[in-house]
């Protein structure tokens, strides 16, 4: 079957699948203080998720990342992982998960056994006060979850969104903590994807500013850039650091990602104004051939991305429902 290619010549290899819009955190850069959750009946069932994921794998997607909201709020999470893991026989090579890790300790080993290859853990600060200010939650359960993943033998990478006036003073302390733990870290520039009207350009701490702060205490070496969204660096000659600089240095030209929301909407770009309702069409009786045609058309029409249209995107869906 031909690969999924858009009109800008970018081949799609990675798919993010949101399992739920629910989240137990209230990160200021991600969702409204009082979010309106989707009706549970509108969320895809496990069989529906597997069917859609299988169509994408058959079309050349070989890496799937499970997201939310918070995936741990999905009651049948382990069963969903096992189901998607079965797609390896059809071409899936890697199955990952993004989580805040606050509830993962009791099921860490079960998730690894079910098929998760690696975990991205959101950790915006190790200082309790700074973490609480940004997430409205406590950091201790997250650190417990990270330890449980390590005990389960899981590969873990840390992600931190940096917001001026929120956790910008935590860049160096978080980096040094991650270095001590031997955990790779990626800093992420604050993107215009939160509640409408909240994002401000002045709140963005740029890649250059992060590097300047780190450079005051550590030697930082730039490494060659690949297709990964993060610019790679080596700190003190050995530690791998990444910085995702969507705002100051968009990486749209090499984008190989697609997203499916918890209701089955396909968003070909994180900044797309509208999605393609695959879930609704599937529930209306669309067959696999029809869904394949719909997917390929949506991917072909994928926009050039944030680099071509910088600034906030106007749409009803916010980041917690889109999938991280």
């Amino acid at each position: 079957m031909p690969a999924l290619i858009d009109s800008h010549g970018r081949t799609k290899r990675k798919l993010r699948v949101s399992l739920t819009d629910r989240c137990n955190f209230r990160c200021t850069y991600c969702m409204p203080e009082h979010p309106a959750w989707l009706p549970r009946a509108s969320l895809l069932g496990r069989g529906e998720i597997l069917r859609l994921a299988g169509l994408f794998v058959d079309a050349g997607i070989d890496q799937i990342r499970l997201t939310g909201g918070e995936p741990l709020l999905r009651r049948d999470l382990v069963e969903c992982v096992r189901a998607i893991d079965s797609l390896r026989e059809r071409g899936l090579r890697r199955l990952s998960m993004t989580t805040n890790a606050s509830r993962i300790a009791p099921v860490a080993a079960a998730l690894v056994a079910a098929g998760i290859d690696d975990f991205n853990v959101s950790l915006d600060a190790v200082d309790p006060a700074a973490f609480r200010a940004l997430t409205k939650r406590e950091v201790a359960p997250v650190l417990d979850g990270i330890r449980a993943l390590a005990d389960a033998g899981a590969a873990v990478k840390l992600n931190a969104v940096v917001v001026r006036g929120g956790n910008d003073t935590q860049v160096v302390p978080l980096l040094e903590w991650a270095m001590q733990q031997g955990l790779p870290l990626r800093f992420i520039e604050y993107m215009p994807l939160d509640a409408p009207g909240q994002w401000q350009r002045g709140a963005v701490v740029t890649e250059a500013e992060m590097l300047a702060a780190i450079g005051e205490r550590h030697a930082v070496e730039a490494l060659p850039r690949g297709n990964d969204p993060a610019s790679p660096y080596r700190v003190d000659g050995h530690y791998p650091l990444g910085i995702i600089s969507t705002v100051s240095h968009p990486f749209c030209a090499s984008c190989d990602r697609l997203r499916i929301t918890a209701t089955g909407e396909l968003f070909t770009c994180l900044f797309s104004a509208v999605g393609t309702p695959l879930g609704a069409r599937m529930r209306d009786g669309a067959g696999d051939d029809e869904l394949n045609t719909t997917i390929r058309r949506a991917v072909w029409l994928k926009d050039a991305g944030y680099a071509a249209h910088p600034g906030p995107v106007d749409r009803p869906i916010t980041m917690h429902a889109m999938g991280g």
Side-chain angles (χ1 to χ4, degrees), residues 25 30 52 88 132 149 211 261 289 317:
F25 278 29
C30 182
L52 283 183
R88 294 185 192 269
R132 190 182 307 116
L149 287 170
L211 291 173
T261 71
D289 289 344
I317 189 171

Side-chain angles (χ1 to χ4, degrees), residues 44-109:
L44 296 182
R46 186 162 68 247
E48 293 173 317
I49 293 170
L50 179 61
R51 182 183 173 192
L52 283 183
L55 292 176
F56 281 90
V57 170
D58 291 343
I61 292 293
D62 59 14
Q63 299 181 51
I64 291 178
R65 177 171 297 280
L66 303 179
T67 71
E70 171 49 49
L72 268 294
L73 297 187
R74 176 106 185 188
R75 294 177 182 176
D76 63 344
L77 174 60
V78 174
E79 291 80 8
C80 284
V81 171
R82 288 199 192 102
I84 298 173
D85 184 67
S86 70
L87 295 175
R88 294 185 192 269
E89 63 186 24
R90 291 162 63 177
L92 180 66
R93 293 193 302 108
R94 194 158 194 85
L95 180 56
S96 310
M97 180 180 294
T98 295
T99 174
N100 62 40
S102 65
R103 297 189 176 195
I104 208 165
V107 293

Side-chain angles (χ1 to χ4, degrees), residues 173-248:
L174 179 55
L175 169 66
E176 293 176 344
W177 182 88
M179 292 175 70
Q180 292 170 1
Q181 303 300 314
L183 296 173
L185 170 66
R186 292 191 305 183
F187 287 120
I188 304 172
E189 289 182 352
Y190 176 31
M191 293 182 280
L193 294 167
D194 54 15
Q198 180 169 309
W199 183 85
Q200 298 294 326
R201 183 63 177 80
V204 177
V205 180
T206 66
E207 177 178 8
E209 290 175 294
M210 295 183 213
L211 291 173
I214 295 168
E216 292 181 0
R217 293 174 60 101
H218 299 274
V220 183
E221 174 190 1
L223 300 177
R225 181 76 180 260
N227 286 332
D228 191 87
S231 299
Y233 295 91
R234 187 159 46 219
V235 180
D236 293 344
H238 68 91
Y239 178 79
L241 172 68
I243 301 180
I244 299 178
S245 51
T246 304
V247 176
S248 65

Side-chain angles (χ1 to χ4, degrees), residues 44 69 73 78 80 89 105 107 112 126 162 167 174 177 202 246 258 266 270 278 300 302 313 323:
L44 296 182
L73 297 187
V78 174
C80 284
E89 63 186 24
V107 293
V112 172
V126 288
V162 183
N167 63 339
L174 179 55
W177 182 88
T246 304
L258 302 169
L266 168 62
L270 187 58
L278 299 178
W300 179 255
K302 177 173 178 171
V313 57

